Amino acid sequence: MSGTTPITRFGDTLIVTVREALHDAAATELQEEITDMLERSQPAALLIDVSVLDVVDSFMGRLLNDIAAMARLMGARTVIAGIRPQVAITLIELGLRLRGVETVLSVEQGLARLGHRNGTRRGR
């Protein structure tokens, strides 16, 4: 796993915390790691925290879209937390709609949306 982007499991949810802007090679590595974790652990959901990203380029935008599509195809619901206004504007300008992805303002809201309360999951 890359040292900059931890992937942790919380109940039946994988949580990916992007801690810094990723160059293309690191972003591709992260995509492969997430796909591998989805296959091995078969979670019900994937929560991606991008709250530290001030900007995204077209590569990173497409990568987020692709990760969400892969997770959906592998049976996991995808929630992205912390999209800043500048990032949202860029994604729209790039024509990326993040179909099938739910967005929330914070990781806490993401966990609540996925049904986690006090370290447990209430069901799907």
Side-chain angles (χ1 to χ4, degrees), residues 8-15 38 41-47 75-77 111 114-116 119-124:
T8 56
R9 185 163 178 128
F10 181 73
D12 62 354
T13 300
L14 284 182
I15 302 173
L38 287 167
S41 62
Q42 299 180 358
L46 173 65
L47 175 61
R77 180 177 168 190
L111 290 171
L114 293 169
H116 291 279
T120 62
R121 179 142 163 84
R122 296 181 305 181
R124 293 184 191 190

Side-chain angles (χ1 to χ4, degrees), residues 87-101:
V87 172
I89 290 167
T90 301
L91 292 173
I92 296 301
E93 288 175 348
L94 293 171
L96 297 171
R97 302 288 188 242
L98 300 178
R99 289 175 184 17
V101 175

Side-chain angles (χ1 to χ4, degrees), residues 33-111:
E33 290 171 9
I34 291 170
T35 304
D36 182 54
M37 290 285 291
L38 287 167
E39 180 182 27
R40 285 188 289 125
S41 62
Q42 299 180 358
L46 173 65
L47 175 61
I48 304 172
D49 176 15
V50 296
S51 58
V52 301
L53 298 180
D54 290 327
V55 295
V56 295
D57 60 11
S58 61
F59 182 81
M60 187 64 181
R62 281 192 310 276
L63 190 84
L64 285 172
N65 197 48
D66 291 350
I67 289 170
M70 286 185 302
R72 190 170 50 255
L73 288 171
M74 296 174 81
R77 180 177 168 190
T78 303
V79 176
I80 297 180
I83 294 179
R84 294 180 182 218
Q86 312 89 294
V87 172
I89 290 167
T90 301
L91 292 173
I92 296 301
E93 288 175 348
L94 293 171
L96 297 171
R97 302 288 188 242
L98 300 178
R99 289 175 184 17
V101 175
E102 298 173 65
T103 57
V104 293
L105 295 175
S106 68
V107 170
E108 293 79 14
Q109 288 179 352
L111 290 171

Side-chain angles (χ1 to χ4, degrees), residues 8-33:
T8 56
R9 185 163 178 128
F10 181 73
D12 62 354
T13 300
L14 284 182
I15 302 173
V16 178
T17 305
V18 179
R19 292 185 176 172
E20 62 188 17
L22 302 173
H23 56 81
D24 291 359
T28 300
E29 180 182 334
L30 176 62
Q31 180 182 29
E32 291 169 5
E33 290 171 9

